[in-house]
Every structure is written in structure tokens, then in C-alpha cells.
């Protein structure tokens, strides 16, 4: 599969860089949500607020977040050419913010923000590349907002990769 390279600069004017409203003892976090967002809903936006509140309680300073909608070529039921894999999106955000000098690489954590439906898809054969799921969990982190009717603890216990990475539930 060919990955598309995007050289468009990230918008950074709304990030709260340099201001640690809660002390930011554990460093700064940028949240990234990926998906079809078709259509974008109130809950897509609310996920960012819920994650921010939880992370701040745990001593992190949340600098901001990005929604990364999929390309038109994306099909929910199968992997298709023409869109960026989530790992590439997370890497791009981290690399851009660090190389631009906006944040210190040692104090920045870029995390995948998702609902429990996306977390569940980590274990669905053919949807994710297992080594990329490991890299996302290990190198970035995942914050999952529980959706009605989904037992996140069970999703984690049923996934060897998520167990390996010791994903914390919030």
C-alpha cells in the first residue's frame, strides 16, 4: 500500500503552548482523533473535553487536539489506498510540533483519542496492522472514551496487543 505524504503545515494557533494552566507536571499532551466523522457530531467534540479533563486530573497539560478526517477513498469495511494510516498521522503531528520548535520532544505526548468502537476494531482481523497497533500504544498512547454498551475492560482483556501494552482505561 502506498502512503500519501502531506506537506501542509498543521494549524498551531489554538494550541496552548507555553501555558501550563494545571502545572503540567507530567508534560504536555496533544490529542488526535482519526475517523470518518461523517457527520461530525457533538460527541466527537465532547470526547476532547472528556479526555482533557481526565488527563489534567492525572497531571498532564493538554495543549490541544486535532481531528484528522479520513480521505474520500477510505471505506469503513476494508483497507483502501489513498489515506494516511493512523500511525503516520500521529507521527506527523509529533514530528511537526517538535521540528518546528513549538514544543520539546521530551515533554510532548501525542495520544490517539478514540471511542470504544475504534478500540474494539484493534482486535478485528484485517482492519489494523498488529505492529502498528503496538507502535500506537507504545510510542504514543491511546485514550479511549467509553461508548454506551461497550465494556472497555473486556475489550482490553480480549486483545493480546492491548494487554501487552497495558492500556489504562479512563
Amino acid at each position: 500500500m502506498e502512503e500519501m505524504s502531506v506537506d501542509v503545515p498543521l494549524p498551531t494557533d489554538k494550541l496552548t503552548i507555553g501555558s501550563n494552566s494545571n502545572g503540567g507536571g507530567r508534560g504536555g499532551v496533544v490529542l488526535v482523533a482519526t475517523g470518518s466523522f461523517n457527520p461530525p457530531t457533538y460527541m466527537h467534540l465532547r470526547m476532547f473535553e472528556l479526555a482533557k479533563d481526565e488527563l489534567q486530573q492525572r497531571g498532564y497539560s493538554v495543549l490541544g487536539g486535532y481531528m484528522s478526517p479520513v480521505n474520500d477513498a477510505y471505506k469503513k469495511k476494508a483497507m483502501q489506498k489513498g489515506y494516511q494510516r493512523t500511525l503516520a498521522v500521529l507521527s506527523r503531528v509529533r514530528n511537526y510540533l517538535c521540528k518546528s520548535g513549538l514544543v520539546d520532544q521530551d515533554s510532548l505526548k501525542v495520544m490517539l483519542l478514540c471511542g470504544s468502537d475504534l478500540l474494539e476494531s484493534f482486535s478485528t482481523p484485517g482492519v489494523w496492522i498488529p505492529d502498528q497497533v503496538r507502535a500506537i500504544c507504545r510510542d504514543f498512547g491511546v485514550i479511549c472514551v467509553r461508548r454506551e454498551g461497550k465494556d472497555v475492560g473486556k475489550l482490553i482483556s480480549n486483545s493480546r496487543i492491548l494487554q501487552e501494552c497495558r492500556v489504562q482505561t479512563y
Side-chain angles (χ1 to χ4, degrees):
M1 172 183 264
E2 181 182 326
E3 299 257 344
M4 296 172 62
S5 177
V6 181
D7 292 328
V8 177
L10 287 177
T12 58
D13 55 318
K14 301 218 190 253
L15 295 179
T16 56
I17 295 171
S19 66
N20 289 335
S21 58
N22 70 337
R26 297 181 78 177
V29 173
V30 171
L31 299 166
V32 178
T34 62
S36 58
F37 303 114
N38 187 17
T41 66
Y42 171 76
M43 270 314 292
H44 287 128
L45 301 175
R46 183 78 179 118
M47 280 193 328
F48 284 92
E49 292 296 324
L50 293 168
K52 178 182 178 182
D53 292 346
E54 184 62 36
L55 288 166
Q56 285 179 336
Q57 286 181 16
R58 291 171 182 255
Y60 291 95
S61 176
V62 178
L63 308 178
Y66 293 97
M67 289 178 75
S68 178
V70 297
N71 182 279
D72 289 341
Y74 174 79
K75 305 289 184 234
K76 269 198 162 181
K77 298 290 183 192
M79 290 189 278
Q80 301 287 327
K81 290 185 179 180
Y83 66 94
Q84 291 272 322
R85 294 199 178 277
T86 299
L87 181 57
V89 172
L90 295 170
S91 296
R92 179 175 180 264
V93 169
R94 182 178 59 193
N95 292 342
Y96 183 86
L97 294 175
C98 293
K99 287 180 180 173
S100 67
L102 290 169
V103 292
D104 179 42
Q105 184 172 340
D106 296 332
S107 65
L108 175 67
K109 186 157 189 69
V110 174
M111 298 182 79
L112 174 63
L113 173 62
C114 66
S116 46
D117 56 329
L118 189 141
L119 193 71
E120 184 175 33
S121 76
F122 278 175
S123 300
T124 305
V127 175
W128 293 85
I129 297 169
D131 283 346
Q132 290 198 1
V133 173
R134 281 185 189 89
I136 289 168
C137 294
R138 179 189 64 234
D139 301 340
F140 296 92
V142 177
I143 184 160
C144 176
V145 176
R146 190 181 327 270
R147 284 203 171 176
E148 192 79 25
K150 296 286 183 187
D151 182 342
V152 175
K154 188 175 181 180
L155 293 176
I156 293 169
S157 67
N158 289 340
S159 167
R160 184 175 44 84
I161 293 174
L162 295 179
Q163 284 180 23
E164 284 172 16
C165 297
R166 292 185 170 90
V167 173
Q168 292 182 345
T169 57
Y170 301 116

